[in-house]
């Protein structure tokens, strides 16, 4: 599978430029689209799932033009929107069965087997008889993933999947995503939470105010921050100076003051130690120091 995004622009009716000349190639596997709120992620997702047309530019899916082959491409798509909500009196398994029928699975026996399989995969088998509308927030999100995947889409688009989930549900969700990522499908995950991306994505892109500011692997982004992440044990006054000068990533209170991690191009005025960057460090460093210089 291949998605080729070429010179894509979106200007809303109010004149807002939500996407500026985006060029991006996405291959099979898990792809993370990261950026702060308002960066243009949902706009790009909605164009990819054919819910909205771009102002300019085009998207090719396996060489097929999204603008000309909407029907064909829709059949390949699974979509979990940011505000996936449903009001239903259906039981959990019935809801999934309904989604399976919509995706074209006609044979009842095979369909019910598939429903059970997906209920197992997303950890909802034990609550299959429960009214789907009465599931917890995290369970609803997992049901959302199951309904998007039950038709075996070639392209799965998941918009901000972990917003509002507690840490346990977030980990569970991430595990489900890495389980399904081995297939020959494209899974695009958009998020403003760096931890959603990490090791499960082979490729990633950074969007910043409608511009594509980075495209590569998470490791390549981390490489860019190497030599620019620092740690220092500091007292109150020094910390006050530090936090006004550098973007601080974490502050942990200690007996003597604070254990502070921060990013900086270089540090000469204080006695900080260089540390190995994580993806979160790299994201902050990139957004603060590199993004608008590209
Ligand atoms: P993200 O998903 O990264 O938070 P969005 O794609 O939702 O970003 O929004 C990108 C920009 O476009 C934001 O400034 C947002 O306010 C604006 N925007 C989104 N939808 C509309 C719309 N229907 N009309 C006008 N502006 C919009």
């Amino acid at each position: 599978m291949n998605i080729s995004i070429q010179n894509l622009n979106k200007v809303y009716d109010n004149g807002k430029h939500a996407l500026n000349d985006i060029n991006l190639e996405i291959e099979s596997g898990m792809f993370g689209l990261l950026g702060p709120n308002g960066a243009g992620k949902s706009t790009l997702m909605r164009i990819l799932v054919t819910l909205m047309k771009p102002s300019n530019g085009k998207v090719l899916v396996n060489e097929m033009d999204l603008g000309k082959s909407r029907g064909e491409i829709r059949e390949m798509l699974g979509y979990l929107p940011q505000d996936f909500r449903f009001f239903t009196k259906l039981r959990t398994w019935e809801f999934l069965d309904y989604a399976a029928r919509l995706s074209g699975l006609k044979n009842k026996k095979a369909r019910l087997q598939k429903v059970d399989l997906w209920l197992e995969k997303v950890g909802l088998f034990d609550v299959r008889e429960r009214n789907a509308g009465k599931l917890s927030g995290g369970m609803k999100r997992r049901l959302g993933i199951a309904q998007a995947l039950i038709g075996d889409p070639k392209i799965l688009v998941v918009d901000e999947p972990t917003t509002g989930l507690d840490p346990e549900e977030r980990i569970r969700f991430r595990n489900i995503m890495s389980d399904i990522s081995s297939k020959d499908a494209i899974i695009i995950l958009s998020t403003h939470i760096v931890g959603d991306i990490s090791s499960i994505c082979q490729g990633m892109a950074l969007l910043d105010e409608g511009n594509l500011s980075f495209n590569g692997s998470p490791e390549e982004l981390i490489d860019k921050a190497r030599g620019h992440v620092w740690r220092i044990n500091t007292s109150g006054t020094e910390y006050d100076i530090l936090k006004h000068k550098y973007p601080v990533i974490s502050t942990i209170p200690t007996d003597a003051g604070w254990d502070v991690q921060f990013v900086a191009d270089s540090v000469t005025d204080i006695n900080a130690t260089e540390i190995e960057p994580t993806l979160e460090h790299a994201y902050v460093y990139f957004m603060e120091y590199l993004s608008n210089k590209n």
Side-chain angles (χ1 to χ4, degrees):
M1 290 298 294
N2 165 273
I3 298 178
S4 178
I5 298 170
Q6 301 176 356
N7 303 106
L8 203 71
N9 284 274
K10 178 69 189 182
V11 185
Y12 282 110
D13 289 345
N14 64 0
K16 173 79 198 170
H17 285 250
L19 294 174
N20 300 316
D21 238 1
I22 304 293
N23 286 286
L24 193 58
E25 299 288 322
I26 305 176
E27 308 291 334
S28 298
M30 184 85 78
F31 186 87
L33 184 65
L34 183 63
N37 285 329
K41 302 182 298 295
S42 292
T43 302
L44 182 57
M45 303 284 96
R46 276 186 243 130
I47 292 173
L48 290 181
V49 299
T50 74
L51 289 178
M52 197 164 69
K53 288 183 177 162
S55 309
N56 262 303
K58 61 180 174 183
V59 178
L60 301 180
V61 176
N62 284 353
E63 315 272 305
M64 274 186 295
D65 191 324
L66 189 78
K68 294 181 185 141
S69 315
R70 296 171 94 79
E72 238 169 311
I73 290 170
R74 266 187 195 162
E75 283 173 14
M76 298 183 191
L77 279 172
Y79 179 41
L80 179 59
Q82 195 172 343
D83 53 357
F84 177 69
R85 287 185 212 148
F86 47 85
F87 300 95
T88 176
K89 291 208 157 59
L90 294 179
R91 284 175 287 179
T92 299
W93 76 265
E94 288 171 331
F95 182 82
L96 209 47
D97 186 46
Y98 175 69
R101 260 185 293 159
L102 285 185
S103 80
L105 288 166
K106 292 197 178 71
N107 181 299
K108 190 172 177 191
K109 193 166 165 227
R111 199 174 66 229
L112 290 179
Q113 272 174 358
K114 208 155 185 191
V115 166
D116 280 353
L117 182 82
W118 274 102
L119 285 169
E120 284 282 3
K121 276 196 196 190
V122 298
L124 293 176
F125 193 78
D126 291 347
V127 293
R128 64 192 180 281
E129 296 294 339
R130 195 183 295 177
N131 181 323
K134 296 216 168 98
L135 296 174
S136 72
M139 286 174 171
K140 279 184 183 156
R141 207 70 61 93
R142 283 187 263 141
L143 185 58
I145 268 291
Q147 65 80 33
L149 280 165
I150 201 156
D152 288 324
K154 288 276 172 250
I155 301 168
L156 173 68
V157 175
V158 188
D159 200 356
E160 296 278 359
T162 64
T163 307
L165 294 189
D166 61 37
E168 198 184 320
E169 276 290 357
R170 197 167 279 181
I171 292 167
R172 190 163 196 170
F173 192 88
R174 220 170 286 160
N175 289 340
I176 292 170
M177 296 304 281
S178 57
D179 268 3
I180 56 175
S181 70
S182 54
K183 291 195 298 184
D184 176 41
I186 292 179
I187 300 171
I188 304 174
L189 184 103
S190 106
T191 182
H192 68 282
I193 300 166
V194 184
D196 285 346
I197 305 269
S198 65
S199 52
I200 60 174
C201 295
Q202 292 94 334
M204 65 174 287
L206 270 184
L207 268 188
D208 188 12
E209 294 181 4
N211 299 306
L212 181 73
S213 59
F214 171 83
N215 176 24
S217 67
E219 292 72 30
E220 282 168 313
L221 189 67
I222 289 173
D223 281 345
K224 286 186 183 291
R226 199 161 279 119
H228 305 293
V229 187
W230 309 82
R231 172 183 211 159
I232 191 167
N233 274 302
T234 177
S235 67
T237 27
E238 197 180 30
Y239 174 56
D240 277 343
I241 299 168
L242 186 100
K243 77 176 179 201
H244 286 111
K245 199 161 173 191
Y246 303 111
V248 168
I249 291 172
S250 67
T251 308
I252 300 166
T254 62
D255 291 345
W258 308 97
D259 178 21
V260 184
Q261 294 186 8
F262 63 99
V263 295
D265 254 343
S266 63
V267 177
T268 48
D269 49 348
I270 47 173
N271 196 16
T273 314
E274 197 186 307
I275 57 169
E276 179 63 16
T278 63
L279 191 64
E280 191 179 10
H281 294 139
Y283 174 65
V284 176
Y285 175 70
F286 194 89
M287 294 302 281
E288 293 285 341
Y289 288 95
L290 300 178
S291 192
N292 47 17
K293 293 181 191 161
N294 282 359

